[in-house]
Amino acid sequence: MAKIWAGIDAGKTHHHCVVINEDGHRLLSRRVTNDEPELLELLSDVLDLGDGVIWGIDLADGGAALAIAILVHHAQPVHYISGRAIHRASESYRGEGKTDARDAAIIADQVRIRRDLHPLRTGGEVVTDLKVLTGRRADLVADRTRTVNRLRAQLTSIFPGLERSLDLTNTGPLVLLTGYQTPAALRRTGKKRLETWLRNRKVLRADRLAETALEAAGRQHTSLPGEKLTAQMVHTLAAEVLALNQQVNEVDKAIETRFRDHRDFEVITSMPGLGVILGAEFLAATGGDMTAFGTADRLAGFGGVAPVPRDSGKISGNLRRPRRYNRSLQRVFYISALFSIRHCEQSRRFYERKRAEGKRHIQAVLALARRRVNVLWALLRDGRTYEAVPPTVLAP
């Protein structure tokens, strides 16, 4: 029997699998329920068709998690190909229809002819837990951002002066808005009583916050239409943001606790600008196994910080940002590079040199992020923590 390739078009309740041989002929086409007994039966039937099977799938988690885990646990090589790549590749195949069977066949054929697909591996328990926790944190932060934006819009509609004066990302202003939302209510309370009210709720610098709020109230004596109902919404939204802040803090503690159990915790967090949260997101995005990438260049390309050439004819040296990359990992590299500019002398000098060469801010930060990938790669390879090397002073 010869080598064969299997493509899985994954879904939430069902998958469709197509198996092809070296000539591209279909050996099997089957729709299976996303359930372990059926998936194991499919695996057995596919293994009976050839000496070796290479699998491709269009999801890396979610509804495909069970299928991937079964394949990996049975030592089957599995490669991920994105839905976007399948859509583009489908234009080169005969026919314009779209079915699960057709998509599965395209996946199988792409795995057969391509050599640049990313292999899927199940990480350890720590990495898996960090994926869950960092995903939950991202959802909470997105919910908080949306709620803060709604809060700003509602407060602006009845009390624009106070909205301009408060930083609603801080706890103190949010606590204030759970009790007072209108200029009249603040004026009736007065500075001394408002300050006491804030202190009783453990608000830092309650005197300055009370003074700021009363100054804004003193500049507005007009009651706007819908003020009473809008004030209630402001109260509700402020309470929701406080609750979301609490949930984010709890998840952050859980992330740090779990991250400390990983073997590379000290190595990753030793990098300037790469703290607990960004370090955990790095592991969640990469799986923690650097051998899956092979080189620092491939890791940088996967993270979207390695420019790719776009030359044509007499035009050369034209670089652009890659289109295929992991956006979560790029965010980790970019944000950590920004932080390192503030806290690391070597990073700051590198950034300033790139700016002096004429690069824009984003270009300089991306160049720094690319350099830092090499450093992080070497640290993980050697299992050692980052140490700042003082600049060498030449003798006069």
Side-chain angles (χ1 to χ4, degrees):
M1 290 188 292
K3 192 174 183 179
I4 59 176
W5 291 263
I8 298 179
D9 181 62
K12 184 165 62 174
T13 58
H14 293 82
H15 307 317
H16 199 104
C17 178
V18 170
V19 180
I20 62 175
N21 60 13
E22 293 181 348
D23 298 325
H25 296 305
R26 294 191 188 187
L27 306 178
L28 178 146
S29 179
R30 182 187 300 175
R31 177 182 172 89
V32 296
T33 304
N34 189 14
D35 197 32
E36 184 169 348
E38 289 203 23
L39 291 172
L40 288 173
E41 182 181 354
L42 172 68
L43 174 60
S44 177
D45 292 344
V46 173
L47 291 177
D48 290 339
L49 296 175
D51 293 328
V53 187
I54 298 179
W55 299 77
I57 196 165
D58 62 343
L59 287 177
D61 49 23
L66 178 59
I68 293 172
I70 289 174
L71 293 173
V72 172
H73 290 165
H74 286 79
Q76 296 296 299
V78 188
H79 295 271
Y80 167 71
I81 178 169
S82 68
R84 183 178 181 181
I86 297 169
H87 175 71
R88 289 180 174 176
S90 65
E91 298 177 357
S92 61
Y93 290 82
R94 185 168 26 186
E96 297 183 359
K98 184 186 184 305
T99 64
D100 292 343
R102 184 172 188 267
D103 288 346
I106 293 173
I107 293 171
D109 196 48
Q110 287 293 297
V111 174
R112 180 177 66 90
I113 63 179
R114 291 180 60 172
R115 299 294 181 268
D116 61 337
L117 297 179
H118 188 67
L120 290 177
R121 306 179 184 182
T122 56
E125 287 294 328
V126 175
V127 173
T128 302
D129 290 347
L130 288 177
K131 287 181 180 179
V132 174
L133 289 170
T134 54
R136 173 59 176 163
R137 186 183 192 277
D139 291 341
L140 289 172
V141 170
D143 290 342
R144 181 175 61 183
T145 300
R146 285 191 292 267
T147 307
V148 168
N149 290 337
R150 296 188 190 107
L151 174 58
R152 290 187 181 280
Q154 295 291 342
L155 184 58
T156 300
S157 67
I158 60 171
F159 199 170
L162 185 62
E163 191 277 331
R164 287 195 308 271
S165 303
L166 299 182
D167 183 357
L168 298 182
T169 61
N170 293 332
T171 300
L174 294 169
V175 173
L176 170 68
L177 292 177
T178 61
Y180 302 92
Q181 305 86 26
T182 63
L186 287 169
R187 287 195 300 271
R188 284 194 303 267
T189 302
K191 184 176 183 300
K192 186 174 181 180
R193 287 175 56 194
L194 179 60
E195 185 178 332
T196 302
W197 186 88
L198 292 171
R199 281 206 176 96
N200 289 339
R201 285 155 180 79
K202 297 181 173 56
V203 174
L204 299 177
R205 294 186 288 275
D207 53 340
R208 294 174 55 184
L209 179 57
E211 182 179 354
T212 299
L214 265 297
E215 286 181 359
R219 292 193 297 269
Q220 180 176 331
H221 294 266
T222 301
S223 178
L224 300 180
E227 182 179 78
K228 184 176 180 180
L229 180 58
T230 304
Q232 295 175 1
M233 292 185 179
V234 169
H235 163 83
T236 301
L237 290 170
E240 289 179 4
V241 176
L242 287 171
L244 287 168
N245 284 342
Q246 180 63 30
Q247 293 182 61
V248 171
N249 291 336
E250 292 173 357
V251 173
D252 286 349
K253 293 177 182 177
I255 288 174
E256 181 173 2
T257 300
R258 201 67 181 106
F259 188 15
R260 287 184 179 277
D261 294 334
H262 196 272
R263 65 183 183 276
D264 293 326
F265 172 80
E266 297 293 341
V267 175
I268 294 173
T269 55
S270 69
M271 276 284 291
L274 198 60
V276 171
I277 302 302
L278 290 177
E281 291 177 356
F282 169 78
L283 283 179
T286 60
D289 185 6
M290 296 298 102
T291 60
F293 300 96
T295 66
D297 293 339
R298 290 197 64 185
L299 176 61
F302 182 68
V305 295
V308 296
R310 192 177 185 180
D311 299 341
S312 178
K314 297 181 179 179
I315 301 175
S316 61
N318 186 18
L319 301 177
R320 64 168 175 83
R321 183 181 300 181
R323 294 180 179 178
R324 292 184 297 150
Y325 60 90
N326 186 296
R327 280 157 177 77
S328 298
L329 187 57
Q330 187 195 58
R331 175 186 173 277
V332 170
F333 289 152
Y334 187 85
I335 298 298
S336 64
L338 281 177
F339 287 153
S340 71
I341 294 172
R342 304 178 188 175
H343 305 292
C344 177
E345 180 66 21
Q346 289 82 3
S347 295
R348 185 181 61 81
R349 287 202 302 267
F350 182 89
Y351 169 81
E352 291 177 347
R353 185 169 75 249
K354 292 300 177 181
R355 291 287 283 167
E357 293 173 0
K359 294 187 180 296
R360 298 190 298 273
H361 168 71
I362 293 179
Q363 292 174 323
V365 175
L366 287 173
L368 173 60
R370 175 64 185 90
R371 177 64 63 88
R372 284 166 51 85
V373 169
N374 288 344
V375 177
L376 180 59
W377 176 272
L379 295 178
L380 290 170
R381 179 196 61 200
D382 300 338
R384 59 188 177 90
T385 58
Y386 176 85
E387 295 180 4
V389 179
T392 303
V393 179
L394 299 177

